[in-house]
Structure formats: structure tokens, C-alpha cells
């Protein structure tokens, strides 16, 4: 034990000696001074792993935290990878959000790129992630970096990497970059000049805003009144500018959440999907009476939508990402869109039926826009976690600004004919069956609990859930004809005559960005008439609840 402690102290002192950040140096020095070996062990238990999500973790000193030392190594690894790919003189464009340390991490990345012989350009201020994704293609860059932890808690930050096609990295690029990072021995070996990169002006932002016009139909109705929250993030100014260009009435911005604030003081988690996150938006909506409520997450690549619901306590109902995804698909079909519609294996299957009814190509990918963006001939993509790509030629990633524009245009068109988004959802249920989705999500402190739950499920696969027979299952670790291997399990279930359910599907997987086990549930209930919709929704809710209970028991959580 004494040897282990000595080794731990030696590693921490070596890290301290080369740490360029006074704040984390002071933090680590205090841990060494107090002899807090438990905390030191947690921070030096390994290194943050660079993967297809790049890096993401809690801010702090040490290799298991997000800090300038970790970011400098990541940037140096990316630069070495780009040079190995023959892109040694190319441009890397860098964006960042308003979280703690984001601007520092962006500057460090620019310095490392210039020191490695590449060119670097940094966006002028904290801006939405979609602006960075757009800038990569617009400027002809060989790669892009966005410093953001999206909707993670305030203590986190992250590092997202895109290649020159404007989409996020996937294997084998992630592994090759990780190997280059691991090859770096000392920060002193990484040249970091004090200058030499470009700080961009507003030209790129203006070009992005000009591109947002393309998602709307010229002359379409624009009379939609919106309450909007940027959730203490960076979306407000860009969305308001896009609104003005489009000719929509100026949105009512939720005052308490309007300014960027890395502490996210009004929410437990800065994610529109989390309980309570939309309370202030709904309070504002009750006072001004808009047509819809829209929220972005803090880096504005996701878009949440809420509709009036007189029967609820708040008076508003958050639409699920699957519902918004189907609404946007139906809207694009009505606009005669052509090309491939795509979603992920954990999202609702309703879009497959919408696409088939219009003879449009349809594909499913693994979870994440890093996969969706690579679909051939892509015209539209969505994932259930509030991500939508409605202009893949401009932004090959999810974009909460253009998605907000398009759903607001749809609301305006429906309003002109005396209808609402809820009415269109009813129409889709009548035509294709009610596709109801839900999620069982378990946050853990100990990641081994997730591995144990997945092992239990693999060893004792359920024969039925909620009385529905499991007709087939896939261990996604083995891959399929159309999907590369990933840690996940998928079950297809059949309804019975008495259940009222046509079919169901369950996908279980560890989260790629948070310490969570996620289970994605869908049931399909046939609907014979509008009068039958309330009963169909009750049936779906009851079956989803029963599936959750049975699945939790099978997982042992």
C-alpha cells in the first residue's frame, strides 16, 4: 500500500509540474498538501478516454478530469493524426460555448494547431455548435473542434471533433487519434506559440444565418408566436437573428434563462428533457399565451417543443423527440422533399412508415449524428434525444436553430387552417397507428453497475415483457448486416389479441456521453377512428409502464 501511495503522489507531482493552468495547479497542490489520497486516486485512476464523442468529463486537475493539460494533449493528438492523413497544412476551425474554461480550451487548441504547422481559426465568441459544424464545410477546413459539454451538468466540459466533411468522427478515426494522444509524453514536447491563429469575424455567422433561410418555403405563413428559452446557453442571439430574417414575430425569451451562464442557476440539469427544466418557460407561456414553446439546450444543437395542453398542471406538454421528428418528417414530405430519411435504432419507427408511404428511401443507424450524418443521399435525420438535421448540405449534424425554424413554419401553416401540431400528431396516429415511446434511464455513480446489468440481461434474456412475447432479439455487440458492433441489446415483441398492441420494441444500451443505462421503449397501437385515440393512448401508457417494470426487474436495477 505504501508503494501504491508513493507512486500515486509521484504521478500527481509530475502532473502538477507541467500543468499550465494556475487554477488546477492550486487545486492539485491542495490535494497533495492535505494528503487526500482517495481523491487523488480518483483523478489518477487512468485517463479520460477519447472516443467517438471526443472527450467529456468533470472539470478539475488530473488525467481523469477535463483541464488544459488534457485538452492540449487531445489537440496535439488530433494535429498528429491530421498530418498523418496528409492534411498537415490544412485549416482547423474551432468553436466553443459559454461553459467554464471553454474559451481557454479553444485558445489552447488553436495554439497547438499552429505549433504543429496547421492553420487555425477560432469563432469570434461563444456560438451554437451548428455554427461550427457549418463553418467547417463553408471554410473548407480539414477538421473542426467544438468545446462543449452540451446539456451536461455545470461541472462538466467536453471536446467534440469533426473531420473535413463536417460530420463527427467515427471509427477508425477515433482510435487513431486516441493512439496519437497516448504517444505524447510531456507537454513540453507540444509547441504552443502565443499567436498565429485567426480569430474570425461575423462573416461565418452571417453565412450560416443566410443558409437558415433555405429551410423555409418562400411565402409560407409566419404568424407563429413563440416563447423561447436558450437554457442559459448560447442560442439566443443566433435564434433571434434567424427569426428576424425569416419574418416570424420576435420570440418572447424567458428572462431568467436568457443570458449565457455556465452555472445554469435555474435548473438542476440544463437539458429540456429533465424534470423541471422547462418550468420557467411554461410560466412565461402562461403569462403571454404563445402558440408553442421552444427550447434549445446550452449549445443549441438540440430543439425541444411544447404545445398547449389544458388538461395538464402546467397547461403545456413537452413533445417527445420522436413526436417532433415525425412532425418534421411529415412537413418535409408535404414540401415534396426528396432524398433519404434516416433515424437511429432507438428512435420511433413511425418515420419508416411515413417514408414508405411516400416511397422515400429510409435508413436506420446506430445512436448519434456521427452515424446519421454519413447516410448516403441524406435529406433529413432525427434522433429521439431532441436532435434534428433538416439541412444536411449546410450542417451535417443536429441543428437546434434550423429545426426550430422549420417546426415554427409548420405551426404557422397549421394555424392558418385552424389546426395545431397536436392535431397533426392525431392525423399521423390515425394513418399509421399510435407510436408511443418512453425511456427507462438510470444514472449511476459506479459504471460497473451498468456492465453488470447488461451482463444479467445477456445471460437471462426475457421471453416476454408486459405480457408481450419476445419474437426476436439482437445482441448488437455482434453487429448486423447494416450496423457495426455496439454495446446494446434489441428486442422485438408481438402483441396479442387482447392487449390492443400491434407490436413493441425495446433497445437497451449504455449512454455514450453520461453515466447512464438507457432503455428505449416503443409500442404501436392501431387506431380505428379519432374517437378511439384516447383509449389507444391509455393502452399505450399502461403497456409502456408494464414494460418498464419488467425490464427493470430483468436488469436488476
Amino acid at each position: 500500500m505504501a508503494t501504491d501511495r508513493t507512486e500515486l503522489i509521484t504521478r500527481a507531482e509530475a502532473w502538477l509540474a507541467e500543468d499550465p493552468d494556475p487554477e488546477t495547479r492550486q487545486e492539485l497542490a491542495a490535494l497533495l498538501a492535505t494528503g487526500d489520497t482517495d481523491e487523488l486516486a480518483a483523478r489518477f485512476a487512468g485517463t479520460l478516454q477519447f472516443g467517438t464523442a471526443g472527450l467529456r468529463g468533470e472539470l478539475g486537475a488530473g488525467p481523469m478530469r477535463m483541464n488544459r493539460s488534457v485538452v492540449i494533449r487531445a489537440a496535439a493528438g488530433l494535429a498528429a493524426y491530421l498530418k498523418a492523413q496528409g492534411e498537415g497544412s490544412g485549416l482547423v476551425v474551432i468553436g466553443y460555448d459559454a461553459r467554464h474554461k471553454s474559451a481557454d480550451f479553444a485558445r489552447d487548441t488553436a495554439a497547438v494547431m499552429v505549433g504543429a504547422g496547421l492553420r487555425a481559426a477560432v469563432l469570434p465568441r461563444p456560438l451554437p455548435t451548428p455554427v461550427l459544424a457549418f463553418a467547417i464545410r463553408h471554410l473548407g477546413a480539414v477538421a473542426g473542434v467544438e468545446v462543449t459539454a452540451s446539456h451536461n451538468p455545470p461541472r462538466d466540459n467536453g471536446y467534440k471533433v469533426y473531420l473535413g466533411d463536417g460530420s463527427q468522427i467515427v471509427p477508425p478515426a477515433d482510435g487513431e487519434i486516441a493512439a496519437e494522444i497516448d504517444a505524447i509524453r510531456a507537454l513540453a514536447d507540444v509547441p504552443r506559440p502565443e499567436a498565429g491563429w485567426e480569430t474570425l469575424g461575423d462573416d461565418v455567422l452571417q453565412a450560416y444565418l443566410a443558409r437558415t433561410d433555405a429551410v423555409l418555403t418562400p411565402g409560407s405563413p409566419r404568424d407563429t408566436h413563440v416563447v423561447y428559452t436558450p437554457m442559459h446557453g448560447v442560442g439566443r442571439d443566433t435564434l433571434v437573428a434567424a427569426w428576424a430574417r425569416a419574418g416570424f414575430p420576435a420570440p418572447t425569451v424567458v428572462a431568467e434563462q436568457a443570458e449565457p451562464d455556465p452555472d445554469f442557476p435555474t435548473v438542476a440539469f440544463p437539458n429540456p428533457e429533465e424534470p423541471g427544466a422547462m418550468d420557467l418557460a411554461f410560466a412565461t407561456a402562461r403569462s403571454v399565451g404563445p402558440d408553442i414553446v421552444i427550447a434549445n439546450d446550452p449549445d443549441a444543437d438540440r430543439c425541444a417543443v411544447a404545445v398547449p395542453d389544458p388538461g395538464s398542471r402546467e397547461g403545456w406538454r413537452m413533445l417527445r423527440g420522436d413526436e417532433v421528428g415525425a412532425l418534421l418528417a411529415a412537413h418535409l414530405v408535404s414540401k415534396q422533399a426528396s432524398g433519404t430519411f434516416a433515424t437511429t435504432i432507438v428512435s420511433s419507427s413511425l418515420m419508416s412508415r411515413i417514408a414508405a408511404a411516400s416511397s422515400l428511401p429510409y435508413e436506420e443507424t446506430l445512436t448519434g449524428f456521427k452515424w446519421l450524418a454519413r447516410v448516403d443521399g441524406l435529406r433529413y435525420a432525427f434522433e429521439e434525444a431532441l436532435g434534428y438535421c433538416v439541412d444536411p448540405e449546410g450542417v451535417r449534424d443536429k441543428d437546434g436553430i434550423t429545426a426550430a425554424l422549420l417546426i415554427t413554419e409548420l405551426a404557422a401553416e397549421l394555424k392558418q387552417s385552424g389546426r395545431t401540431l397536436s392535431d397533426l400528431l392525431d392525423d399521423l396516429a390515425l394513418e399509421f397507428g399510435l407510436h408511443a415511446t418512453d425511456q427507462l434511464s438510470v444514472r449511476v455513480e459506479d459504471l460497473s453497475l451498468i456492465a453488470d446489468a447488461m451482463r444479467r440481461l445477456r445471460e437471462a434474456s426475457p421471453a416476454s415483457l408486459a405480457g408481450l412475447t419476445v419474437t426476436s432479439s439482437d445482441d448488437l455487440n455482434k453487429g448486423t448486416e447494416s450496423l457495426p458492433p455496439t454495446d446494446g441489446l434489441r428486442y422485438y415483441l408481438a402483441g396479442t389479441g387482447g392487449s390492443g398492441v400491434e407490436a413493441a420494441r425495446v433497445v437497451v444500451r449504455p449512454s455514450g456521453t453520461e453515466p447512464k443505462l438507457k432503455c428505449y421503449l416503443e409500442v404501436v397501437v392501431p387506431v380505428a377512428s379519432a374517437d378511439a385515440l384516447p383509449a389507444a393512448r391509455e393502452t399505450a401508457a399502461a403497456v409502456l409502464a408494464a414494460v418498464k417494470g419488467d425490464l427493470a426487474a430483468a436488469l436488476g436495477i
Side-chain angles (χ1 to χ4, degrees), residues 216-411:
L216 303 176
T217 301
S220 63
R222 305 291 159 94
D223 182 24
T224 308
H225 295 268
V226 170
V227 160
Y228 168 71
T229 175
M231 204 69 67
H232 296 297
V234 299
R236 180 193 61 186
D237 291 350
T238 303
L239 182 134
V240 169
W243 242 239
R245 290 181 65 98
F248 290 115
T252 299
V253 180
V254 177
E256 301 92 333
Q257 298 174 334
E259 296 295 332
D261 188 331
D263 293 320
F264 306 106
T266 69
V267 292
F269 288 93
N271 178 355
E273 294 179 295
E274 292 285 347
M278 295 291 289
D279 286 356
L280 287 171
F282 292 159
T284 303
R286 287 193 294 272
S287 68
V288 302
D291 297 303
I292 58 174
V293 174
I294 287 177
N296 286 137
D297 67 339
D299 69 327
D301 64 350
R302 300 171 194 252
C303 173
V305 181
V307 296
D309 182 6
S312 70
R313 180 176 60 84
E314 296 88 356
W316 290 83
R317 180 175 79 87
M318 269 277 290
L319 297 182
R320 302 190 70 86
D322 287 319
E323 292 176 303
V324 177
L327 287 169
L328 290 174
H331 187 39
L332 288 167
V333 166
S334 75
K335 290 158 73 86
Q336 307 298 311
S338 61
T340 301
F341 282 33
T343 190
T344 69
I345 60 171
V346 302
S347 302
S348 172
S349 61
L350 174 56
M351 193 166 77
S352 67
R353 299 190 179 191
I354 293 172
S358 299
S359 300
L360 288 168
Y362 170 81
E363 284 196 31
E364 288 183 8
T365 73
L366 295 182
T367 307
F369 268 85
K370 58 185 175 283
W371 300 108
L372 287 169
R374 287 175 162 75
V375 169
D376 288 340
L378 182 66
R379 175 58 186 88
Y380 167 61
F382 90 91
E383 63 178 356
E384 52 75 39
L386 309 183
Y388 317 94
C389 175
V390 301
D391 177 26
E393 291 305 308
V395 176
R396 295 195 74 82
D397 196 8
K398 53 186 177 290
D399 183 344
I401 304 296
T402 50
L405 283 169
L406 198 60
I407 198 72
T408 303
E409 178 189 58
L410 173 58

Side-chain angles (χ1 to χ4, degrees), residues 81-241:
Y81 167 81
L82 292 171
K83 292 171 77 171
Q85 300 296 310
E87 304 285 7
S89 60
L91 172 69
V92 178
V93 61
I94 302 151
Y96 58 103
D97 66 11
R99 284 178 177 265
H100 293 295
K101 297 292 183 181
S102 287
D104 294 338
F105 295 168
R107 282 192 297 270
D108 282 331
T109 300
V112 170
M113 295 303 159
V114 171
L118 290 112
R119 294 176 292 127
V122 183
L123 293 180
R125 58 186 174 279
L127 287 168
T129 292
V131 177
L132 181 277
F134 167 83
I136 296 167
R137 292 161 67 87
H138 180 70
L139 297 174
V142 298
V145 171
E146 177 70 17
V147 180
T148 181
S150 188
H151 55 275
N152 275 38
R155 64 180 182 271
D156 289 0
N157 213 327
Y159 197 82
K160 186 183 293 187
V161 176
Y162 298 76
L163 294 182
D165 62 354
S167 58
Q168 299 173 49
I169 55 169
V170 296
D174 59 339
E176 293 170 6
I177 295 170
E180 296 286 3
I181 294 170
D182 291 343
I184 296 160
R185 292 290 170 256
L187 288 193
D189 298 335
V190 181
R192 287 182 287 130
E194 294 293 324
W197 58 89
E198 177 185 3
T199 299
L200 296 166
D202 275 348
D203 292 354
V204 169
L205 176 60
Q206 293 305 316
Y208 167 81
L209 287 169
R211 180 80 201 187
T212 63
D213 298 345
V215 306
L216 303 176
T217 301
S220 63
R222 305 291 159 94
D223 182 24
T224 308
H225 295 268
V226 170
V227 160
Y228 168 71
T229 175
M231 204 69 67
H232 296 297
V234 299
R236 180 193 61 186
D237 291 350
T238 303
L239 182 134
V240 169

